[in-house]
Amino acid sequence: MLIKTRKSWHLTDRDVTPEKLYLNRRAIMAAGGAAAVSLTAGACSAEEAQTEAPRGAMPADGNLSARETAYMPPDGDLTPLEAVTGYNNFYEFGTGKADPARHADAMTTDPWSIEVTGHAGRTGTFGIEDLIDFNALEERIYRLRCVEAWSMVIPWIGVPLGPILQGFQPTSDARYVAFETYFNRSEMRIGTFPVLDWPYVEGLRMDEAMNPLAFLAVGLYDRVLPNQNGAPVRLVVPWKYGFKSIKSIVRISFVSDEPPTSWNRSAPNEYGFYSNVNPNVDHPRWSQASERVIGGGPFARRDTDMFNGYADEVAGLYAGMDLSENF
Ligand SMILES: Nc1nc2c(c(=O)[nH]1)N[C@H]1C(S)=C(S)[C@@H](COP(=O)(O)O)O[C@H]1N2
Ligand SMILES: [Mo]
């Protein structure tokens, strides 16, 4: 009997998913360093990119590449691209998981500006190109854990939040930072069921926002963020439930009091301001001890990690706080 042994690098047709190719290329990059970026079909070297595109230009072809890869999740495979872009929460476009992919393309994302207000030295309206250097993007593979007890592992591309906020020179009165999503009734297919007040708002305590894990994403899987994932710029707070990761940001405000958040406003007993991933504190209607792994098959589950697996980096932010009170 002939036993075929397959080399690990040999991919069958069935194996050749975008994710496999992607990870393969990541492995090459890790081995060869940043210069290996030029192996990517269609991508130019970092030097070329710098001369071709001025600082901050959003690439017209929709492709992004990152200079650095950091913060891998503790474990778990990447979620297939189709699930990342086809199973979404973006209630402005409907409450069904498939609604955002169907309807979010109606949102205008170019040009895009963000208004910065409140306790800061540098306020005003800034074009996205003035805030984010598209030639110095990082990739971070973070798990997104939804409060609905499912999760995905996503290769985000973007920039750390802290340095961007520091650039606005927040004053000592800035104890919290508030974010607001774009809102346009004519472009958004808002359901008739009045789930949330619009525009969608979220907030972080200043020290949370400054934590090096907090991230502004402009892309995923080496491409510009699809609208349903929060184009052109969305927050990623990996140790908190997904609803803190506000999409399509148009306003950042430095404030002294804890700002309102959309989900807390709609159901304060179910959604607190902090919303840290915590397997020991259940949602009133379901357990938070484990989660369904999206894209992993019908029965794929995993135990939920404290702070979504990032306890070493963030537990200190909550020292002395009762996390079942401050949920
Ligand atoms: N503006 C806005 N941002 C939002 C939401 C929303 O409905 N509107 N949903 C949140 C929730 S509940 C989750 S779980 C994540 C989902 O992000 P994803 O669709 O990119 O996976 O986005 C968050 N950001
Ligand atoms: Mo969520």
Side-chain angles (χ1 to χ4, degrees), residues 89 145-148 150 241-243:
N89 275 336
R145 169 57 158 83
C146 180
V147 73
E148 299 164 288
W150 49 262
Y241 291 117
F243 64 89

Side-chain angles (χ1 to χ4, degrees), residues 88-91 93-100:
N88 300 100
N89 275 336
F90 200 161
Y91 273 34
F93 296 101
T95 51
K97 301 298 175 206
D99 286 340

Side-chain angles (χ1 to χ4, degrees), residues 21 38 60 69 81 106 174 213 238 255 282 285 299 315:
L21 292 174
S38 57
T69 301
L81 178 66
L213 289 180
V255 296
D282 288 337
R285 291 182 281 135
F299 307 109

